Amino acid sequence: MKTVPLCLLTIVAEAILKERLIADVRSAGAKGYTVTEAEGEGIRQRRVGEILGSNIRLETIVSPEVADRLLKLISVEYFERYAVIAYLSTVSVIRGEKYV
Amino acid sequence: MKTVPLCLLTIVAEAILKERLIADVRSAGAKGYTVTEAEGEGIRQRRVGEILGSNIRLETIVSPEVADRLLKLISVEYFERYAVIAYLSTVSVIRGEKYV
Amino acid sequence: MKTVPLCLLTIVAEAILKERLIADVRSAGAKGYTVTEAEGEGIRQRRVGEILGSNIRLETIVSPEVADRLLKLISVEYFERYAVIAYLSTVSVIRGEKYV
Amino acid sequence: MFRVLSFAKYPTGVCMLDVLRINLCSPLTLSFALGVFARLVRSELSLPRDLYTALSIYLLFALGLKGGVELSHSSLAAISGPALVTILLGCLTPVSAYLVLRKMGRFSIADSAGIAAHYGSVSAVTFIAAQQFTASVGAPAEGFMPTLLTLLEIPGIQIALAIGAFQMSAAAKANPDGTGQVARPVREIMHELLTSRSMMLLVGGLIIGTAVGESGWKPVQPVFEGLFKGLLTIFLLEMGLAAGNRLGDLKQAGLFLLGFGILMPIVHGTVGAYLGSLAGLSVGGCTVLAAMAASASYIAAPPAVRMTLPEANPTFYLTAALAITFPFNLIAGIPIYYEISKRFCS
Amino acid sequence: MFRVLSFAKYPTGVCMLDVLRINLCSPLTLSFALGVFARLVRSELSLPRDLYTALSIYLLFALGLKGGVELSHSSLAAISGPALVTILLGCLTPVSAYLVLRKMGRFSIADSAGIAAHYGSVSAVTFIAAQQFTASVGAPAEGFMPTLLTLLEIPGIQIALAIGAFQMSAAAKANPDGTGQVARPVREIMHELLTSRSMMLLVGGLIIGTAVGESGWKPVQPVFEGLFKGLLTIFLLEMGLAAGNRLGDLKQAGLFLLGFGILMPIVHGTVGAYLGSLAGLSVGGCTVLAAMAASASYIAAPPAVRMTLPEANPTFYLTAALAITFPFNLIAGIPIYYEISKRFCS
Amino acid sequence: MFRVLSFAKYPTGVCMLDVLRINLCSPLTLSFALGVFARLVRSELSLPRDLYTALSIYLLFALGLKGGVELSHSSLAAISGPALVTILLGCLTPVSAYLVLRKMGRFSIADSAGIAAHYGSVSAVTFIAAQQFTASVGAPAEGFMPTLLTLLEIPGIQIALAIGAFQMSAAAKANPDGTGQVARPVREIMHELLTSRSMMLLVGGLIIGTAVGESGWKPVQPVFEGLFKGLLTIFLLEMGLAAGNRLGDLKQAGLFLLGFGILMPIVHGTVGAYLGSLAGLSVGGCTVLAAMAASASYIAAPPAVRMTLPEANPTFYLTAALAITFPFNLIAGIPIYYEISKRFCS
Ligand SMILES: Nc1ncnc2c1ncn2[C@@H]1O[C@H](COP(=O)(O)O)[C@@H](O)[C@H]1O
Ligand SMILES: Nc1ncnc2c1ncn2[C@@H]1O[C@H](COP(=O)(O)O)[C@@H](O)[C@H]1O
Ligand SMILES: Nc1ncnc2c1ncn2[C@@H]1O[C@H](COP(=O)(O)O)[C@@H](O)[C@H]1O
Ligand code: NA
Ligand code: NA
Ligand code: NA
């Protein structure tokens, strides 16, 4: 199968940021995203349960440019003040031209 | 640790396809799969909540041949008509010989 | 954006191992982890529902040394006796120096 | 602060406006409205998905159980007439809906069949609301109505899907460059519909209720009857949220679908009331049968259509069933069918 | 349509067949059957996992609270005898189960110990069903029975796991090429069992119930007593689904396990009824104690065994406990223990 | 085994120790304690997240509905005085809390404002517990209290966040090397608070309850009133688990916050009781208003503060609100406010 190499950006963040992150992802030019519920622990407190909620794990397949734009935005807007982690990998997407 | 490089195929699709996709994955020769619930948005409508359900995110670690077979099948059977996205990456699996 | 290449270790295991795996991950030196609920099927039985529970999918971003230590530990402690699968990939992490 | 009666015993000789007001000021209707409102102001309010599932399991099972207990008092003779006209309705309504959509609305084959599958089946919540309504105006429906509900649920979906598949393959033969996808085998679809959650719970509940009778029903009555209206109120909040989500799609759905979503139910409701009166149902029974015929499914039909006719646009069928017909029936339809039934029965 | 009484007050002088029929036609048994049936026809019906968890939390907490309120009426003297024989049962049943499985069934050490842990512990739902049954035949059990339930839950699991660990390390010494894995420390296992969800809720509920007494119980009674049977009915639907999932494994489990899953409970139940009568329990109390002894845990035992004896095959213990012994007790076992108890008590 | 009355009608002339004991031996308080205990012994016990959400939706909606039905009996004149002092309380308490924290506690601007937002708002469960308490000692509060609850929920959060934003931008101007982040627009924050889940359900419930009145309330009463105390008991178990999670953070929070979490409520409660008596509330009404003023929000405030003042340390505000002030009010605070109210009202 013909596939297109694209960037898979994964963001794990505290759940209250969900709608803001989705808005950011869309305005940065991503064509879609997938969100799953998660819990976790990092340098900030452990995140489980309802009060102050858990985490979300957002994945979006984007072009390298959009990925870079999003990473910058996240590192300026959220990194210092919120519990968030973001990382990139390369994946081969079928009909990948739809996502750039 | 000795690891084996294998294909990790990720499929995000509307939830009603779950059982059909699992059957496809198994009949294509995969030795296992992992499914998580997800929600998301793509070129089709936003998928949350119960009515017409949300998405599933299915991962399966397979040999390149099985991966290719699955990608073909998905692109013929589902791509046009259903909300679905699929991508491949390479991962190093311990005791990977069990999964081919 | 400057990113640091690090190991992303993913472990899918039966849910009763959750707390033990988290303890292992932390004691091996990981700075954090993310857990999502999952179900799945492998060479052992299909895992869904409550009794004997489903699976968890644990991800942790670590240095190659920690990843290796964890893989060894998992393969000695859990592989024979429990339903578990583990694999590695390389990801580019922003502010990655925080996670090693 | 003016206050009105709602769902309390009410003398039957009440005028239509009163009836409408009763219906509007019930916790059920108002909870639905609250849900819609919450979506309109973009509130974060949402019910956990598992709560929605749990409530729908509860409602269907309770409906079946209660119906079964009532059924244990009914004779086969009393049911056979109503059962027959119900099956007839299940065959008529998908065809009429399909023809109107395809010929007058110029929808595609898939869209017409997809929407018709929804209008050929039945909405359990509309059924319940109609039952509550008839009880509150003092004309309770027959005890075996839930049995009719199960009879009406499936045939309509099947027939519409069959029309869709048949017409599409005819069209494909005429124009043979299609993707050539194999249709899903009918056995698979039938299996899915017959073993669906709502069928299992309704029919299972009916059988259990019939088997255990009054004395077995007593100890579980506090849950399956006592909590019914309260939990239904919460469920309607969620339905309002779901319908509110669809309001934005109304424009996309277009004026024709808006008219269809209101007029088709009135037609189907009138036919339902008429056939019900022929079969000897009471005014309450006719009203409930009319509401069933008029209602559009949004639990059984959507996944079946999505699976089998993925070419049909979900925006059309979901918006029509959930954001037009359901609230119309809830607010105005049921009282209208009641008035119509009163004419046919006298 | 024939109808039977179920769970209604029933004269004690009723013959065994009647008793069986009462038991079979209760909403509890029939809901379980519906769940099994739904799995057999491969229905999509399933309860959300959180609903299952919520219901089991509710049932355990309600059981504890109600038991505590009743306990506040009981004297220590009345309880000490029954408590003693209960602990004795908790020590006997895992040993007998282990020996039968290992010596007669030729199961591996791990499998024998794993299954024995389940039969040494107790099934809360079987306990509840027995309580409902004795109440319905007019021989209600003593108020302090939930206290006995908590006493029986843990020792059996512990003893079976200890036997397993001990025997396996003996076997490992004889044949020293094993993987050399360190066993989990006993303290950790004990901590898990003592602080398990069911222990917390049962014991916590007992203490709270005792502390608040009748007057504190009143305002929460509509939830913790009024809803009990109805919610239990829904829970049994889920149990039926889980058991139905296991039916396919029956073949793998083999004939020996099938016989074990039916005969071992009868033996344990007889011993339980006998010891209960020695301790001065009423017919109802003996029946419930017998049902406890006869039952196999499928809430506390499976995770404990899975954690500590992962070499034991879950197919064996889950199928035996859930798909054989649980339905056997629900349908036939409890009435049998009742008949046996009547003999011992007269 | 000694047993005490709890939440039963109780003669008003009872001494304070009795009142405390009543309060301590209620299922509500004891369930909370069980939750804390379960965390202390590191039990696996936890309620599914969706159950927590479902219960809080239920409690808020039931509160609103019941309040609305009662409101339909009240005149505008009777409410306006109490409403006024409630709004006054909503403006006073965040300021007093901020000043104490910033000046005496030397907390950072963000932390002071963050904690103040919690103490300026109100805890619905504390409100409910106070209502139950006053009813149980025979001094029920006015029917319109839920209306006051909705008036008190938002202003306090807003004012504290505004103080925080204002002070921080002043500080940033003085020291201009900050990260230069744009604050979130006030409109967005207001929208979130006004359309929050709790506002929708409380206000929506109030309006629906008022519209349907007694006759519409009847059929849903078994759910929204009958189950209230029992479900609240389960909710308090979860609250206890959440508070238990925070106990470990008490050390980090420090002695000052411990004192603040106990003394600030007493001050706010006294002011509340005084203002309530001025506005003509009954002893019960004053007690409930005092408890509201004294309570700290842990549903509406935390996400609002986390979103808008992420620099504030959640450990401080969550520990203070959930692990100090909430249990203090539940156990000792409410009876104290009752005693104080009795003085002011006589
Ligand atoms: N090293 C890591 N590996 C995987 N997930 C992490 C890691 N560090 C943090 N996370 C996730 O990111 C969330 C926020 O992290 P932090 O901002 O470090 O508290 C955590 O709750 C985890 O879910
Ligand atoms: N660019 C993307 N990145 C991540 N997930 C996506 C993307 N596009 C689509 N998806 C997921 O795939 C589902 C179906 O996509 P679509 O068929 O484009 O509507 C969406 O609901 C998303 O969960
Ligand atoms: N080939 C695979 N691809 C993805 N997930 C797998 C695969 N094999 C096993 N798993 C996951 O790992 C769990 C345990 O696998 P196993 O130990 O093989 O039963 C399964 O329940 C699946 O969730
Ligand atoms: Na219809
Ligand atoms: Na036992
Ligand atoms: Na306050």
Side-chain angles (χ1 to χ4, degrees):
Chain A
M1 277 303 295
K2 201 194 130 248
T3 57
V4 180
L6 282 171
C7 286
L8 170 67
L9 171 62
T10 306
I11 306 167
V12 180
E14 50 188 306
I16 51 157
L17 296 179
K18 180 172 158 187
E19 295 302 328
R20 280 165 79 181
L21 283 171
I22 289 177
D24 289 341
V25 162
R26 308 201 72 183
S27 70
K31 293 286 184 300
Y33 63 86
T34 299
V35 174
T36 47
E37 283 182 18
E39 49 184 275
E41 204 168 352
I43 50 180
R44 291 160 187 108
Q45 93 216 66
R46 187 164 175 178
R47 312 210 146 260
V48 264
E50 163 85 0
I51 293 166
L52 276 199
S54 43
N55 287 327
I56 55 150
R57 186 179 178 284
L58 186 154
E59 292 172 305
T60 180
I61 292 174
V62 288
S63 65
E65 298 75 48
V66 173
D68 203 62
R69 210 176 306 151
L70 271 169
L71 283 184
K72 275 205 192 93
L73 192 148
I74 289 162
S75 85
V76 172
E77 281 279 316
Y78 301 105
F79 248 127
E80 287 305 328
R81 310 178 0 146
Y82 294 101
V84 63
I85 179 174
Y87 53 88
L88 276 181
S89 61
T90 305
V91 292
S92 311
V93 185
I94 25 172
R95 313 232 174 155
E97 51 288 352
K98 277 160 102 176
Y99 304 103
V100 285
Chain B
M1 278 301 296
K2 200 193 132 250
T3 57
V4 180
L6 284 170
C7 286
L8 171 65
L9 169 63
T10 306
I11 307 166
V12 180
E14 50 188 306
I16 50 156
L17 296 179
K18 181 172 158 187
E19 296 301 327
R20 278 166 80 181
L21 283 172
I22 289 177
D24 288 341
V25 162
R26 307 200 71 185
S27 69
K31 294 287 187 298
Y33 63 86
T34 299
V35 174
T36 47
E37 283 181 17
E39 50 184 272
E41 205 168 351
I43 50 180
R44 292 160 187 107
Q45 92 217 64
R46 187 163 176 179
R47 312 210 147 261
V48 265
E50 163 85 1
I51 293 165
L52 275 200
S54 43
N55 286 328
I56 56 150
R57 185 179 179 283
L58 186 154
E59 292 172 304
T60 181
I61 292 174
V62 288
S63 64
E65 297 76 47
V66 174
D68 203 61
R69 211 175 306 152
L70 272 168
L71 284 185
K72 275 205 192 94
L73 191 148
I74 288 163
S75 83
V76 172
E77 281 278 317
Y78 301 106
F79 249 128
E80 286 306 328
R81 309 175 5 142
Y82 294 101
V84 62
I85 179 174
Y87 53 88
L88 277 182
S89 62
T90 304
V91 293
S92 312
V93 185
I94 25 170
R95 313 232 173 155
E97 50 288 351
K98 278 160 100 177
Y99 304 102
V100 285
Chain C
M1 278 301 297
K2 201 194 131 251
T3 57
V4 181
L6 283 171
C7 286
L8 171 66
L9 170 62
T10 305
I11 306 167
V12 180
E14 49 188 308
I16 51 156
L17 296 180
K18 181 172 159 186
E19 295 303 326
R20 278 166 80 180
L21 283 172
I22 288 177
D24 289 341
V25 162
R26 307 200 71 185
S27 70
K31 293 287 186 298
Y33 64 86
T34 298
V35 174
T36 46
E37 283 181 18
E39 50 184 273
E41 204 169 351
I43 49 179
R44 291 161 187 106
Q45 91 216 67
R46 189 163 176 180
R47 312 209 147 261
V48 264
E50 163 84 1
I51 292 166
L52 277 199
S54 43
N55 287 326
I56 56 150
R57 186 178 177 283
L58 187 155
E59 291 173 305
T60 180
I61 292 174
V62 288
S63 64
E65 297 76 46
V66 173
D68 204 61
R69 210 176 306 153
L70 272 169
L71 283 185
K72 275 204 190 94
L73 192 148
I74 288 162
S75 84
V76 172
E77 282 278 317
Y78 301 105
F79 249 128
E80 287 305 328
R81 308 174 8 140
Y82 294 101
V84 61
I85 180 174
Y87 53 88
L88 277 182
S89 62
T90 305
V91 293
S92 311
V93 185
I94 26 172
R95 313 234 174 153
E97 50 288 351
K98 276 161 102 177
Y99 304 102
V100 285
Chain D
M1 240 153 266
F2 88 121
R3 305 209 320 272
V4 290
L5 284 174
S6 72
F7 288 174
K9 287 270 177 283
Y10 208 81
T12 335
V14 124
C15 84
M16 175 131 180
L17 259 178
D18 281 333
V19 162
L20 249 171
R21 219 186 40 186
I22 294 178
N23 206 37
L24 273 178
C25 273
S26 89
L28 299 183
T29 319
L30 291 176
S31 284
F32 181 82
L34 176 60
V36 173
F37 176 78
R39 273 293 164 274
L40 291 185
V41 299
R42 289 175 302 118
S43 161
E44 47 142 33
L45 178 62
S46 77
L47 268 60
R49 200 185 317 162
D50 281 2
L51 179 59
Y52 175 90
T53 314
L55 285 176
S56 56
I57 287 174
Y58 164 83
L59 291 173
L60 290 166
F61 197 39
L63 208 63
L65 282 176
K66 178 88 179 112
V69 175
E70 308 253 8
L71 196 62
S72 68
H73 305 308
S74 309
S75 70
L76 200 67
I79 294 185
S80 46
L84 225 77
V85 300
T86 303
I87 292 172
L88 191 62
L89 277 170
C91 303
L92 283 180
T93 51
V95 177
S96 58
Y98 180 82
L99 289 176
V100 169
L101 289 160
R102 184 91 182 108
K103 302 294 173 199
M104 295 170 60
R106 311 236 149 265
F107 279 91
S108 75
I109 296 177
D111 282 330
S112 303
I115 304 173
H118 288 69
Y119 284 82
S121 182
V122 60
S123 143
V125 180
T126 308
F127 167 82
I128 296 170
Q131 268 202 325
Q132 308 279 337
F133 175 86
T134 54
S136 77
V137 296
E142 279 78 1
F144 52 70
M145 297 309 289
T147 314
L148 304 188
L149 179 69
T150 64
L151 291 178
L152 193 52
E153 185 153 23
I154 288 183
I157 301 181
Q158 278 306 325
I159 290 169
L161 291 182
I163 296 175
F166 187 81
Q167 297 281 87
M168 283 179 77
S169 81
K173 260 180 221 142
N175 165 29
D177 337 311
T179 48
Q181 278 169 317
V182 256
R184 294 183 64 221
V186 177
R187 274 193 62 244
E188 223 172 82
I189 308 172
M190 271 310 285
H191 178 261
E192 256 156 35
L193 284 172
L194 281 175
T195 64
S196 72
R197 191 172 68 187
S198 56
M199 272 324 237
M200 279 291 133
L201 291 168
L202 268 176
V203 177
L206 272 172
I207 294 173
I208 295 179
T210 311
V212 304
E214 285 293 342
S215 59
W217 167 245
K218 263 254 173 82
V220 299
Q221 194 173 11
V223 165
F224 291 113
E225 188 164 310
L227 306 186
F228 197 81
K229 287 180 198 173
L231 294 183
L232 183 59
T233 304
I234 298 176
F235 192 76
L236 274 161
L237 183 63
E238 169 71 16
M239 296 273 312
L241 292 168
N245 269 339
R246 293 273 145 204
L247 278 192
D249 294 336
L250 269 185
K251 225 177 295 167
Q252 219 180 313
L255 265 183
F256 183 85
L257 211 53
L258 185 68
F260 176 87
I262 290 174
L263 297 177
M264 197 79 254
I266 296 182
V267 173
H268 286 167
T270 308
V271 176
Y274 178 66
L275 290 180
S277 72
L278 285 192
L281 286 175
S282 69
V283 174
C286 285
T287 308
V288 173
L289 185 65
M292 285 201 256
S295 72
S297 161
Y298 38 78
I299 292 189
V305 171
R306 185 74 193 128
M307 282 281 232
T308 310
L309 275 179
E311 294 82 0
N313 185 347
T315 300
F316 292 155
Y317 53 76
L318 287 180
T319 307
L322 203 60
I324 305 173
T325 297
F326 177 70
F328 166 71
N329 277 332
L330 192 67
I331 293 169
I334 295 172
I336 294 175
Y337 312 140
Y338 172 62
E339 293 299 321
I340 295 174
S341 299
K342 279 203 295 198
R343 305 271 130 109
F344 283 133
C345 288
S346 63
Chain E
M1 240 151 263
F2 86 123
R3 302 210 320 274
V4 291
L5 285 173
S6 71
F7 288 175
K9 286 272 178 282
Y10 209 80
T12 333
V14 123
C15 84
M16 176 133 181
L17 259 179
D18 281 333
V19 162
L20 249 171
R21 222 186 38 187
I22 294 178
N23 207 37
L24 273 178
C25 272
S26 88
L28 299 183
T29 319
L30 292 176
S31 285
F32 181 82
L34 176 60
V36 173
F37 176 78
R39 273 294 164 273
L40 290 186
V41 299
R42 288 173 303 118
S43 161
E44 47 143 32
L45 177 62
S46 77
L47 268 60
R49 200 185 316 162
D50 281 1
L51 179 59
Y52 175 91
T53 313
L55 285 175
S56 56
I57 287 174
Y58 164 82
L59 291 174
L60 291 165
F61 197 39
L63 209 62
L65 282 175
K66 177 87 179 113
V69 176
E70 308 253 9
L71 196 63
S72 69
H73 304 308
S74 310
S75 69
L76 200 66
I79 294 184
S80 47
L84 224 77
V85 300
T86 304
I87 292 172
L88 190 62
L89 278 170
C91 302
L92 282 180
T93 51
V95 177
S96 58
Y98 180 82
L99 289 177
V100 169
L101 290 159
R102 184 93 182 104
K103 302 295 173 196
M104 294 170 62
R106 310 237 151 264
F107 280 92
S108 74
I109 296 177
D111 282 331
S112 304
I115 305 173
H118 288 69
Y119 284 81
S121 182
V122 60
S123 143
V125 179
T126 307
F127 168 82
I128 296 169
Q131 269 202 325
Q132 309 279 337
F133 175 86
T134 55
S136 78
V137 295
E142 279 79 1
F144 51 70
M145 298 308 290
T147 315
L148 304 188
L149 179 70
T150 65
L151 292 177
L152 194 53
E153 184 153 24
I154 289 182
I157 301 180
Q158 277 307 322
I159 290 170
L161 292 182
I163 295 175
F166 187 81
Q167 298 280 87
M168 283 180 76
S169 81
K173 259 179 220 141
N175 164 28
D177 337 312
T179 48
Q181 278 171 318
V182 256
R184 294 183 64 220
V186 178
R187 273 192 63 244
E188 222 172 84
I189 307 171
M190 271 309 285
H191 178 261
E192 257 156 35
L193 285 172
L194 282 175
T195 64
S196 71
R197 190 173 68 186
S198 57
M199 271 324 238
M200 280 290 133
L201 291 168
L202 268 176
V203 177
L206 272 172
I207 294 173
I208 295 179
T210 312
V212 304
E214 285 293 344
S215 60
W217 167 244
K218 264 256 175 81
V220 299
Q221 194 172 10
V223 165
F224 292 113
E225 188 164 308
L227 306 185
F228 197 80
K229 286 179 199 175
L231 294 184
L232 183 59
T233 304
I234 298 176
F235 191 75
L236 274 161
L237 184 62
E238 169 71 18
M239 297 273 314
L241 292 168
N245 269 338
R246 292 275 146 202
L247 278 192
D249 294 337
L250 269 185
K251 226 178 294 169
Q252 219 181 312
L255 265 184
F256 184 85
L257 211 53
L258 185 68
F260 176 87
I262 290 174
L263 297 177
M264 197 80 253
I266 296 183
V267 174
H268 286 167
T270 308
V271 176
Y274 178 66
L275 290 180
S277 71
L278 285 192
L281 287 176
S282 68
V283 173
C286 285
T287 307
V288 174
L289 185 64
M292 285 201 254
S295 73
S297 161
Y298 39 78
I299 292 188
V305 170
R306 185 75 195 128
M307 281 283 231
T308 311
L309 275 179
E311 294 83 1
N313 185 346
T315 300
F316 292 155
Y317 52 77
L318 287 180
T319 307
L322 203 60
I324 306 173
T325 297
F326 176 70
F328 166 72
N329 277 331
L330 192 67
I331 293 169
I334 296 172
I336 294 175
Y337 311 139
Y338 172 61
E339 293 299 322
I340 295 175
S341 298
K342 280 205 290 198
R343 306 275 129 105
F344 283 134
C345 288
S346 62
Chain F
M1 240 153 261
F2 87 121
R3 306 210 318 273
V4 290
L5 285 172
S6 72
F7 286 175
K9 286 273 177 283
Y10 208 82
T12 333
V14 123
C15 84
M16 174 131 182
L17 258 178
D18 281 333
V19 163
L20 249 170
R21 220 186 39 184
I22 294 179
N23 207 36
L24 273 178
C25 273
S26 89
L28 299 183
T29 319
L30 292 176
S31 284
F32 182 82
L34 176 61
V36 173
F37 176 77
R39 273 292 165 275
L40 291 185
V41 299
R42 289 174 304 116
S43 162
E44 47 144 31
L45 178 62
S46 77
L47 268 61
R49 201 185 316 163
D50 281 1
L51 178 59
Y52 174 90
T53 314
L55 285 176
S56 56
I57 287 174
Y58 165 82
L59 291 173
L60 291 165
F61 197 39
L63 209 63
L65 281 175
K66 177 88 180 113
V69 176
E70 307 253 8
L71 196 62
S72 67
H73 305 306
S74 310
S75 69
L76 200 67
I79 294 184
S80 48
L84 224 79
V85 299
T86 303
I87 293 172
L88 191 62
L89 278 169
C91 303
L92 283 180
T93 52
V95 177
S96 57
Y98 180 82
L99 288 177
V100 169
L101 290 159
R102 183 93 183 104
K103 301 295 172 197
M104 294 171 60
R106 309 238 150 263
F107 280 91
S108 75
I109 295 175
D111 283 330
S112 304
I115 305 173
H118 288 69
Y119 284 82
S121 182
V122 60
S123 143
V125 180
T126 307
F127 167 82
I128 296 170
Q131 268 202 325
Q132 308 279 338
F133 175 86
T134 55
S136 77
V137 296
E142 278 78 2
F144 53 70
M145 298 308 291
T147 315
L148 305 188
L149 179 70
T150 65
L151 291 178
L152 193 52
E153 186 154 22
I154 289 182
I157 300 180
Q158 277 306 325
I159 290 170
L161 291 182
I163 296 175
F166 188 81
Q167 298 280 88
M168 283 179 77
S169 82
K173 259 179 221 141
N175 165 28
D177 337 313
T179 48
Q181 278 169 315
V182 257
R184 294 183 63 221
V186 177
R187 272 193 62 245
E188 222 172 85
I189 307 172
M190 270 311 284
H191 178 262
E192 257 155 36
L193 285 172
L194 282 174
T195 64
S196 72
R197 190 173 69 188
S198 56
M199 271 326 235
M200 280 290 134
L201 291 167
L202 269 176
V203 177
L206 273 171
I207 294 173
I208 295 178
T210 311
V212 303
E214 286 293 342
S215 60
W217 167 244
K218 264 254 175 83
V220 299
Q221 194 172 11
V223 165
F224 292 113
E225 188 164 308
L227 306 185
F228 197 81
K229 286 180 198 173
L231 294 183
L232 183 60
T233 304
I234 298 176
F235 192 76
L236 274 160
L237 183 63
E238 169 71 17
M239 297 274 312
L241 292 167
N245 269 339
R246 291 276 145 201
L247 278 192
D249 294 337
L250 269 185
K251 225 178 294 167
Q252 218 180 314
L255 265 183
F256 183 86
L257 211 54
L258 184 68
F260 175 87
I262 290 174
L263 297 177
M264 196 80 252
I266 296 183
V267 174
H268 286 167
T270 309
V271 176
Y274 177 67
L275 290 179
S277 71
L278 286 192
L281 287 176
S282 69
V283 174
C286 285
T287 308
V288 173
L289 185 64
M292 285 201 256
S295 72
S297 161
Y298 38 79
I299 292 188
V305 171
R306 184 74 194 130
M307 281 282 232
T308 311
L309 276 179
E311 294 82 2
N313 184 347
T315 300
F316 293 155
Y317 53 76
L318 286 180
T319 307
L322 203 60
I324 305 173
T325 297
F326 177 71
F328 167 73
N329 277 332
L330 192 67
I331 293 169
I334 296 172
I336 294 176
Y337 311 139
Y338 172 60
E339 293 299 321
I340 296 176
S341 299
K342 281 204 292 196
R343 305 272 131 107
F344 282 134
C345 288
S346 62

